[in-house]
């Protein structure tokens, strides 16, 4: 996954300075999200660095779970690991029953969806 992130985002300006992906302060958070999702067998995990496109967040992380219970487990794992590793609490929008859960950590927005909702 890191190679995919790096291939599309070799360097972006941050406060007027060019910042390589590996130096982005949000990268450890993204890697924690991806790892937590992978532990719960999320599929199609895709992290997009969008800081050059919007001021609302630094990264979008999208993933697919194959069932509503799996999506709930993925979201719970991400919330738990982000708080445990980084002391970050996210806000939750949506429910597993809707087929789409959005987790907002401020600089990172996570979408957990069923294939149908995607």
């Amino acid at each position: 996954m890191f190679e995919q992130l790096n291939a599309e985002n070799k360097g972006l300006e941050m406060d007027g300075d060019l910042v390589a992906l590996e130096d982005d302060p949000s990268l450890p958070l993204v890697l924690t999200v991806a790892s937590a999702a992978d532990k719960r067998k999320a599929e199609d995990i895709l992290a997009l660095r969008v800081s050059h496109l919007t001021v609302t967040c630094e990264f979008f992380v999208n993933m697919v779970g194959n069932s509503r219970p799996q999506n709930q487990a993925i979201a719970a794992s991400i919330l738990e690991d982000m708080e445990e590793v980084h002391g970050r609490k996210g806000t939750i929008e949506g429910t597993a029953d809707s087929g789409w859960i959005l987790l907002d950590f401020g600089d990172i927005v996570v979408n957990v969806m069923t294939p149908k909702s995607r």
Side-chain angles (χ1 to χ4, degrees):
M1 181 176 83
F2 182 76
E3 289 79 17
Q4 183 177 359
L5 284 169
N6 202 22
E8 294 182 11
N9 301 290
K10 291 262 181 205
L12 296 175
E13 286 194 29
M14 190 175 205
D15 296 328
D17 296 326
L18 194 63
V19 176
L21 178 64
E22 55 271 4
D23 296 330
D24 192 308
S26 298
L27 183 60
L29 303 170
V30 172
L31 295 175
T32 298
V33 167
S35 175
D38 188 57
K39 284 193 297 189
R40 296 295 180 185
K41 308 293 187 218
E43 296 178 359
D44 300 329
I45 300 170
L46 174 66
L48 300 170
R49 189 177 186 190
V50 296
S51 55
H52 62 291
L53 300 173
T54 180
V55 295
T56 59
C57 67
E58 300 290 319
F59 283 89
F60 282 129
V61 184
N62 299 326
M63 63 201 66
V64 173
N66 289 309
S67 67
R68 292 175 180 169
Q70 183 186 18
N71 283 358
Q72 187 62 46
I74 292 167
S77 179
I78 292 168
L79 289 166
E80 182 181 311
D81 284 8
M82 286 292 282
E83 186 167 1
E84 184 179 305
V85 176
H86 302 286
R88 301 281 297 267
K89 290 187 177 186
T91 59
I92 304 168
E93 297 290 332
T95 64
D97 289 335
S98 73
W100 177 33
I101 301 172
L102 182 140
L103 306 174
D104 188 347
F105 295 97
D107 48 352
I108 297 173
V109 174
V110 180
N111 293 290
V112 183
M113 298 170 273
T114 60
K116 185 177 178 182
S117 296
R118 188 169 186 202

